[in-house]
Amino acid sequence: MTSIQRQRTSVLLGTQDLTVEDRPVPEVEPGDVLVRVAAVGVCGSDVHYYRHGRIGDFVVEEPLVLGHELSGTITAVGAGVDPARVGERVAVEPQRPCHRCAQCLAGRYNLCPHMRFYATPPVDGAFAEFVTIEAEFAHALPDSVSFEAGALLEPLSVGIAAVRKAGIVPGSSVLIAGAGPIGIICAQAARAFGATRIVVSDLVPERRSRALQYGATEVVDPTVVSVASDIAPVDAFIDASGAPRAVSDGIKAVGPAGAAVLVGLGNSEMTLPVEHIQNLEVTVTGIFRYTGTWPVAIGLVASGQIDLDSLVTGRFGLGEVREALESDTDPESLKSVVYPGGVPA
């Protein structure tokens, strides 16, 4: 067990109400590891909880620690875990499925009804100096992968899950709506999976320009070009915007027997082009987190096929979580990272 017994933790007390508390370092249960957190990416869900206190049915009703995109170093292990793992650099897959339900046994542990996911009420997340996680969900990082990139393997896992669902294979064409962090990561993942035509749609010129640096072969301003009718049909559509118009138009851009994957957080109900879906046999699906993506993500980053380090545009200490959560208002901001142990020099 680590000799450190107390830790600094950023806590969301209520809507836009943050404080830093002194809390106990969590006990290491059998099968778990204790991780000293090095870097934590700021996700759109963190911002939603901070600004609105809820996402759909998930409501912040008591103090909550945000943050679920993280990496760090194992400092202690529980019973049944190889002690040689102490000192290992890891990226954390921030979820605890039950391993026993029908979904877990079918390999779909992301759909476990008993899931305890970091920073999803009432489960605390990683804006803290230490966290615990099951040993198998602490994935070893090669020395060539930075702690920042290790933290961003979580959103990359979302991108990998999306392109898998979209059926991206060598030679595929894909339309991606939204050039925010997830859209940019989806573009990189699509390229890594072999897509040769990657169209990215976004309202903001700066975001469209950035998409071209990260895998897009063409970009579209949806206020000028009709995504539904003016671009050549694509094999797959991935929505990373959550905008109802983008979803509807994107589905219309999908050719026969193609797929549409909804990733962005949008309205709970939308109007879809049912005739197009039926007549062209378009598969429409969503993704909910991920399963088995970390080994693939680590390999893609370590091999240089995907660049996560350059996505980081803001670095903040534990006492600056508010600034990190509000950094999305800056049009130049792409990905902010919090460093619970202090921002590296």
Side-chain angles (χ1 to χ4, degrees), residues 28-33 76-85 134-136:
V28 191
E29 301 295 333
D32 280 6
V33 296
V77 299
V81 181
D82 185 355
R85 294 202 66 183
E134 291 176 292
E136 60 265 37

Side-chain angles (χ1 to χ4, degrees), residues 160-175:
I160 290 170
V163 299
R164 282 176 170 173
K165 279 272 191 165
I168 301 298
V169 295
S172 290
S173 59
V174 60
L175 166 67

Side-chain angles (χ1 to χ4, degrees), residues 35-61:
V35 177
R36 182 191 293 272
V37 181
V40 191
V42 174
C43 176
S45 65
D46 298 318
V47 177
H48 271 277
Y49 285 128
Y50 167 70
R51 289 197 176 124
H52 309 295
R54 68 183 302 154
I55 298 177
D57 294 333
F58 297 107
V59 182
V60 180
E61 297 178 332

Side-chain angles (χ1 to χ4, degrees), residues 51 82 96 129 142 165 173 209 212 254 259 289 323:
R51 289 197 176 124
D82 185 355
R96 287 181 181 270
E129 293 181 287
K165 279 272 191 165
S173 59
S209 296
L212 291 170
V254 178
R289 299 170 184 156
E323 290 83 350

